[in-house]
Amino acid sequence: MSMSEPEAGLRGRLVDVGVELVAQEGAQALTLREIARRAGVSHGAPRRYFPTHLELLSAIARRGFAELGERAKSAIADGTASPRAQLTALGRVYLEFALDNPGMYELMFRHDLLESGHLGLRDTSLPLFGVLVDLVGRARPDVDARLVAGALWANLHGIAQLWRWGSLQLATGADDFAPLLRSALDAHLGPEAAR
C-alpha cells in the first residue's frame, strides 16, 4: 500500500519534528502527543503512520543512523588508508557524533525502546557495525573480529557517555578525547608501533 503525497509528507514531517525534539530535549521528550502538537496535527494523527510509539521512535533513530553512516563513510573515504587509520577516523567520528547529538545518540542505542525489525532500523544500524568488524578483522586477523569490535564499540560508547558527563576529564585530566581513543584502540588492537 503506497501513501499519497500529503500522507508521505505528514509522515516525514512527524519524523522531522521528532528529530528536532530529540535534539532539543532528549529521548524522554519523544511522546506522540508532543510530536503531534509540534507538527500541528491532532494527537491521534501520528497513529495513522506509526501505529505504536516504538515505530515512531524507530523512524527517528533511523535518521540518526543514516547521518552517522554518512559521517562514517566520509571518514574512511576511499578505504585506502590502513585499517588502524580507518578505525581511528571512525572512532573520532563516532565520538564527535555522540557528543554533538546526545539526545539522538541515546535514542539510537536504546534497542530496548526501539523496534529494530521495523522501518529498516536493523538495515541501517547493522551495516555500520559490519564496517567496524571488517576493519578490526583486517587489523587483527588473529582474533574473533566480531567480539573485539563489540568490545571496542562498548569502549567507545563508554568514553562518549563518561566524557559527556565530565567524569573522564575529572578522572584523567584530559581536555580532549583523542588520547582516550588512542588508548582504546591500543587496548583492543595492540600498540600501533608493534603492528
Side-chain angles (χ1 to χ4, degrees):
M1 181 180 92
S2 62
M3 282 188 271
S4 71
E5 190 68 43
E7 288 175 327
L10 179 53
R11 185 183 190 287
R13 187 158 51 109
L14 291 167
V15 176
D16 290 343
V17 166
V19 168
E20 289 171 19
L21 185 58
V22 77
Q24 292 165 0
E25 299 185 30
Q28 75 286 347
L30 292 172
T31 65
L32 286 173
R33 186 174 290 273
E34 182 59 14
I35 289 170
R37 187 185 74 72
R38 289 183 181 221
V41 297
S42 72
H43 66 88
R47 294 221 182 264
R48 288 203 305 268
Y49 310 103
F50 302 101
T52 68
H53 186 223
L54 293 180
E55 287 184 70
L56 179 54
L57 292 181
S58 298
I60 293 164
R62 185 167 193 233
R63 290 271 186 93
F65 277 113
E67 183 182 339
L68 180 57
E70 285 302 311
R71 290 188 189 194
K73 192 186 299 183
S74 294
I76 58 178
D78 59 4
T80 56
S82 72
R84 177 68 169 247
Q86 290 180 66
L87 283 164
T88 301
L90 202 55
R92 177 168 287 286
V93 159
Y94 183 86
L95 293 171
E96 287 171 350
F97 180 88
L99 298 172
D100 292 346
N101 306 279
M104 179 62 84
Y105 178 76
E106 178 189 349
L107 176 65
M108 286 164 58
F109 296 105
R110 291 291 308 271
H111 281 263
D112 57 328
L113 296 179
L114 302 174
E115 288 282 356
S116 299
H118 282 297
L119 307 164
L121 184 60
R122 188 174 275 131
D123 302 333
T124 312
S125 61
L126 288 183
L128 199 51
F129 184 66
V131 169
L132 189 64
V133 172
D134 176 62
L135 289 171
V136 166
R138 287 170 44 213
R140 287 285 310 271
D142 57 318
V143 300
D144 182 330
R146 187 164 291 278
L147 290 178
V148 173
L152 175 57
W153 174 31
N155 199 166
L156 292 174
H157 193 88
I159 290 171
Q161 194 66 62
L162 293 170
W163 191 267
R164 199 162 64 84
W165 290 336
S167 303
L168 276 174
Q169 298 90 316
L170 184 65
T172 65
D175 58 2
D176 177 18
F177 63 69
L180 293 159
L181 172 57
R182 273 194 304 278
S183 294
L185 290 169
D186 286 348
H188 296 289
L189 304 177
E192 191 166 13
R195 299 208 166 270

